[in-house]
Amino acid sequence: MNETPTTYRVVFQPSGRQGTVAEGTSLLDAARQLGVDVDSICGGRQTCGKCKILVESGEFAKYAISSAGGHLTPADATEQGYFADHGGMPTGARLACAACVRGDVLVTVPPESQSHRQIIRKTATERTIAIDPTVRQVFVEVEPHALGARKGDWERLQDALRREWGWDGLRIDLQALRRLGAALKSGKQRISVVVWNDAEVIDVLPGYHEGLYGLAVDVGSTTVAAHLCDLRSGAVLATESMMNPQVTYGEDLMSRVSYAMMHADGLKKMHEAIIAGLNKLAGLAAHAAGLRARDIHEIVLAGNTVMHHILLGLDPTDLGGAPFTLATHAPVDVKARDLGLKLHPGANAHFMALEAGHVGSDNVGVLVAEAPDQQDAIMLVIDVGTNAEILLGNRERLLSCSSPTGPAFEGAQITHGQRAAPGAIERVRIDPASGQPRFKVIGREGWSDELEPAEIGATGICGSGIIEAVAELFTSRILRADGRFAEEDQRRITNDERMQLDNSTPSSLVFDPSSRIRRNGPKAEYILATAEQTATGREIVVTQDDVRNIQLAKGALYAGCKLLMHRRGVAKVDKIVLAGAFGSYIDPLRAMVLGLYPDCELSQVYAVGNAAGDGARIALLSKSRRAEAAQAARQVEYIETAIDPEFQAEFVGAMHMPHMSDAFPHLDALGILPARAEAAESDRARRRRERRGNA
């Protein structure tokens, strides 16, 4: 009699992939089974070190596991020898090829151990910005010290700055004061001075110097993007991005709040993780521009309220429940060095203003970048992440809210979901006649039907892919409007309807999808990629639970939009702006078919990229716009969805595709919504019968 092998759950971050593996499986083999990208070139001989990973210790309620280094086999002499030869064995570090599973474990795969980096699409957008930074650099000549005079170096520098530049009442940073005497001597009383906010001298250099640099950072819950800028010209010199290292402690904001509540050192761990990440980004960006991180005199940070609090080392637990209390909503300026940021010793760190408990400075950044408060048209601005921040209105009145979409749009909570990385399915089309799919994966030029199966190497489905998959299943009659898999007699679609959506080749009216739909216990699932088309040798499917998780996410987003529309007193919007990396890569038509947002003229639905990062960049480069941002944050009317009964009512209707009752005239004009198309077909059949009766 064969005994069932003992299995344990393994969670890999930052990909978010997880699954059960048999006891004794090496972490490298577990990664390969689950389609996780871990590098290895020595064939598991423990010599290359490419598969180095970090084992996290603690209780991880989100995954219902307790992870510890002791849940892996101990390091043998060979593994210990490798680390001894390479500077020692850091806490939690192991070689994936040597460590075998003997308990539940959560593992972080650092960037250097990933053979293919995560795709983080947060580039800077071309924008017109009037350059007027908070940090200025000037050249002055200081009167030499005269024998018997009582003024010190600082007092004489103050006189020069007052005389030549009109500054009065300045203070000086201690680090700059310590360098002032040597700078004056070396420069023969001529020095270059860096002044912050017309208030403080933060740097002194002997002689004439040019070069003033700042860093604008969008600190998202999943990704972090940094833009290094020349503060004189406004030019973006380098952009660097990374996965937020805090994903180890939770993929969504409430998970991180929970981690801070449940672990005495939780806040400290998360704070140190993001500070280390920012230091790495600053170093990479500076190196790319031929500079050093210490050349950066200011950093401006935009992020959601939880990220804001953790970055400042503020306890975020009050944000986890009503009344969602902020430590402060005002902008914060602190010395970067006090946070542990390794920039210029006198560098300032500016945290943009927050709007409310669940709407942070990232939304203020979007507001600054897109300026809906300066337009007549009613604009709906959506920044989709683990929480969706929504702005609605125009110059007359502007409202905002946050909707708890969760991480489903980033591939989490999806059976074969993953973040955007090579191998992830990002585009999906389903033939209405045969029910057969074709798809594109990141890193491959062609569609799956243009490549040999072995060339495809699909590893999972990212956010844009799962949205298109569910929308295509719906328009192909495989899914019903309520999200359930349809019975066979309901899977009908006309050629005209399908051609309106995707210019497909005309085909028969009825298809047999039996080769792609199967039962897994009581629930159906759709086979998107066959085993031959995947890198893991296992099929990639879209399950009933996957569809439901997407419905929950899109329902929350749509309900937030409708709640703001009701409060603003408008029945429709003129423009829909999709902000953020995710918004840049979703198909506007299929997102509307799914019911991600209300009806709008499709030509007026467009993506603007990383608007939060652009807003941080604007605040870095323009002192006046920074002040406007703080003022705008207070003028926006905030609606708290978490306690609003109307939100729940809207959410119920928004669970349907695209909605249970709301009109979508622009989609109706295309004739692609199944239920409405079927009604139109019935009406055409009725008219044909009437014509025959009259003949």
Side-chain angles (χ1 to χ4, degrees), residues 17 35-37 114-121 418-426 441-444 456-460 462 535:
R17 300 303 298 271
V36 177
D37 180 29
Q114 300 171 21
S115 54
H116 300 94
R117 300 287 184 90
Q118 294 284 151
I119 306 298
I120 302 174
R121 294 152 165 167
Q418 67 170 92
R419 297 192 177 96
I425 296 173
E426 64 171 347
V441 301
I442 296 174
R444 296 284 185 273
I456 299 169
T459 57
C462 66

Side-chain angles (χ1 to χ4, degrees), residues 10-19 27 31 34 36-38 52-56 60 62-63 65 67 105-111 113-114 118 221-222 243-252 255-256 407 410-413 417-419:
V10 180
V11 181
F12 286 95
Q13 292 289 13
S15 68
R17 300 303 298 271
Q18 58 182 295
L27 284 177
L34 298 172
V36 177
D37 180 29
V38 177
K52 185 175 71 175
I53 51 85
L54 299 174
V55 181
E56 306 295 338
F60 295 89
K62 179 177 179 64
Y63 308 109
I65 66 169
S67 175
V105 66
L106 188 147
V107 174
T108 296
V109 184
S113 297
Q114 300 171 21
Q118 294 284 151
S221 54
T222 304
M243 300 299 294
N244 189 325
Q246 293 177 354
V247 296
T248 296
Y249 309 104
E251 291 179 327
D252 57 75
S255 294
R256 293 181 204 173
E410 295 171 339
Q413 301 174 340
Q418 67 170 92
R419 297 192 177 96

Side-chain angles (χ1 to χ4, degrees), residues 110 117 383 488 557 592:
R117 300 287 184 90
D383 191 350
E488 287 194 22
L557 178 53
M592 191 181 291

Side-chain angles (χ1 to χ4, degrees), residues 363-376:
N363 197 57
V364 176
V366 173
L367 171 58
V368 171
E370 297 308 314
D373 56 335
Q374 298 175 24
Q375 301 190 31
D376 294 322

Side-chain angles (χ1 to χ4, degrees), residues 352-437:
M352 296 177 68
L354 306 177
E355 286 184 30
H358 284 158
V359 179
S361 55
D362 50 353
N363 197 57
V364 176
V366 173
L367 171 58
V368 171
E370 297 308 314
D373 56 335
Q374 298 175 24
Q375 301 190 31
D376 294 322
I378 297 293
M379 180 186 287
L380 177 65
V381 186
I382 304 171
D383 191 350
V384 182
T386 51
N387 265 38
E389 285 83 27
I390 309 169
L391 280 166
L392 176 76
N394 59 6
R395 67 174 76 251
E396 296 177 4
R397 184 183 174 198
L398 202 61
L399 299 92
S400 73
C401 74
S402 173
S403 283
T405 55
F409 290 147
E410 295 171 339
Q413 301 174 340
I414 305 300
T415 304
H416 291 103
Q418 67 170 92
R419 297 192 177 96
I425 296 173
E426 64 171 347
R427 292 281 178 263
V428 177
R429 300 291 182 267
I430 297 176
D431 182 76
S434 64
Q436 297 297 313

Side-chain angles (χ1 to χ4, degrees), residues 303-310 319 326 354 356-362:
N304 58 61
T305 54
V306 174
M307 291 299 96
H308 173 279
H309 279 54
I310 293 175
L319 299 173
L326 295 169
L354 306 177
H358 284 158
V359 179
S361 55
D362 50 353

